[in-house]
Amino acid sequence: FVNFTITPNSLQAQCLHEVLKAERPDTHKKRTDLLKLQGEFKVKLRNLEKSLLNALSQSEGNILDNDQIISTLETLKKEAAEVTTKVAETEVVMEEVIRIGEIYTPIAIACSRIFFAMESLSQVHFLYQFSLRFFLDIFYELLSNNPRLEGIRDPTERLDILGMDMFRTVYKRVKRTLLNDDYIIFALQL
């Protein structure tokens, strides 16, 4: 059984990923490269552990007298130290990426809240069902083709515009599907 339920945190992470990809492609690339490297390092450490356990299980007699095991241990120790050093280096860069990501977290939180406000409309009327695809299409459209963002370089100003446009556009598009009496309910939920 696979659970495909959307959670606020998962949608927030997805929106943050997309905003970073659109607004800061350099940071996005660093982030994906670092995550890939960290995964590779973890796999390498796991393989080193397996080879150590394999060498120990194949040994006969006193472990300290077996030169092959001692040399294997020394090699594994050196490789593990190198991997640990590289992991520490990537952690420093990852902290910088996280710091930059925190600038864009408010828009990701807002997107998550907007979507779940749309979701809650199904409690008002059973026909008010909106897909994640509908929401993400609006989001991607605003990220890639927003004329109000042209010429603006300040990240804070860009995020303010993007946030306001997100609320405005979602409200306009969802409003088309609502009964007149329900406009105010959706506006208040936003």
Side-chain angles (χ1 to χ4, degrees):
F1 176 70
V2 178
N3 185 356
F4 288 105
T5 304
I6 302 163
T7 64
N9 287 338
S10 67
L11 183 59
Q12 181 180 333
Q14 185 176 357
C15 290
L16 180 60
H17 173 78
E18 293 300 326
V19 169
L20 281 176
K21 192 162 65 171
E23 294 289 313
R24 296 290 298 264
D26 58 325
T27 303
H28 171 71
K29 181 160 176 35
K30 274 186 194 177
R31 182 175 178 260
T32 54
D33 291 345
L34 286 175
L35 291 174
K36 193 182 305 180
L37 269 176
Q38 285 179 337
E40 290 171 3
F41 291 152
K42 287 178 183 177
V43 168
K44 191 169 184 177
L45 282 174
R46 201 170 299 123
N47 288 338
L48 291 173
E49 289 173 0
K50 283 181 183 178
S51 64
L52 172 63
L53 291 174
N54 192 19
L56 289 174
S57 69
Q58 292 177 357
S59 71
E60 295 176 5
N62 190 352
I63 296 174
L64 297 176
D65 294 337
N66 192 334
D67 291 336
Q68 183 181 1
I69 291 180
I70 299 295
S71 65
T72 303
L73 283 171
E74 289 173 359
T75 305
L76 293 176
K77 183 179 176 184
K78 288 177 188 174
E79 289 180 18
E82 289 173 11
V83 169
T84 305
T85 303
K86 290 178 183 176
V87 167
E89 291 171 3
T90 61
E91 302 252 344
V92 170
V93 177
M94 193 61 157
E95 287 176 13
E96 175 192 342
V97 169
I98 289 171
R99 185 181 47 77
I100 292 171
E102 287 173 351
I103 296 170
Y104 296 93
T105 300
I107 190 70
I109 292 170
C111 288
S112 180
R113 288 181 180 161
I114 291 170
F115 175 74
F116 284 99
M118 289 169 46
E119 279 279 301
S120 68
L121 284 175
S122 65
Q123 295 171 357
V124 176
H125 195 287
F126 71 96
L127 289 177
Y128 297 158
Q129 301 285 327
F130 301 97
S131 69
L132 179 61
R133 174 63 25 219
F134 172 75
F135 173 76
L136 289 176
D137 286 346
I138 295 170
F139 183 62
Y140 295 145
E141 179 68 25
L142 286 174
L143 279 176
S144 59
N145 299 325
N146 193 340
R148 293 186 57 207
L149 293 177
E150 290 178 15
I152 298 174
R153 298 283 172 234
D154 180 40
T156 307
E157 191 176 347
R158 288 180 67 85
L159 288 175
D160 289 343
I161 291 170
L162 190 59
M164 289 305 298
D165 286 352
M166 191 71 197
F167 280 103
R168 190 176 297 122
T169 305
V170 168
Y171 180 75
K172 285 179 183 177
R173 291 202 187 163
V174 170
K175 181 180 159 186
R176 296 177 195 159
T177 66
L178 302 177
L179 298 170
N180 286 340
D181 294 342
D182 297 333
Y183 289 176
I184 192 79
I185 292 171
F186 183 56
L188 289 173
Q189 284 181 333
L190 287 177

